[in-house]
């Protein structure tokens, strides 16, 4: 341990892809994250880190599109 540093554990993380029932031919992507924070972290800081995970999804989408274009 290090004074002034809070550590946590990521217990589970998953991307779930399924057919979108509201739009034929589309895919619905859900992201699930479960962490256990090992100390006192203000809610705003925790929420900021959790919501930044959306950037990962955007990058994943961009790479998937690039891959599909290059393998047609």
């Amino acid at each position: 341990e290090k004074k002034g540093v809070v550590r946590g554990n990521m217990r589970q993380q998953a991307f779930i892809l399924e057919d979108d029932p509201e739009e034929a031919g589309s895919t619905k992507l859900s992201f699930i994250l479960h962490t256990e924070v090992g100390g006192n972290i203000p809610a705003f800081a925790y929420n900021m880190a959790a919501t930044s995970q959306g950037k990962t999804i955007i990058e994943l989408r961009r790479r998937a599109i690039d891959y599909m274009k290059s393998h047609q």
Side-chain angles (χ1 to χ4, degrees), residues 19-59:
D19 290 335
D20 188 342
E22 297 179 12
E23 191 172 338
S26 293
T27 302
K28 178 180 169 183
L29 179 108
S30 299
F31 175 70
I32 298 171
L33 174 66
H34 174 78
T35 59
E36 292 181 6
V37 180
N40 293 323
I41 294 181
F44 81 89
Y46 180 83
N47 291 335
M48 184 172 53
T51 57
S52 71
Q53 293 295 317
K55 294 176 184 174
T56 302
I57 296 167
I58 292 168
E59 180 64 16

Side-chain angles (χ1 to χ4, degrees), residues 1-2 5-9 36-39 41:
E1 282 192 32
K2 196 176 196 181
V5 175
V6 176
R7 297 182 188 261
N9 293 310
E36 292 181 6
V37 180
I41 294 181

Side-chain angles (χ1 to χ4, degrees), residues 3 11 14 16 23 36 60 64-65:
K3 186 174 174 116
R11 296 293 180 195
I16 301 169
E23 191 172 338
E36 292 181 6
L60 179 63
I65 291 169

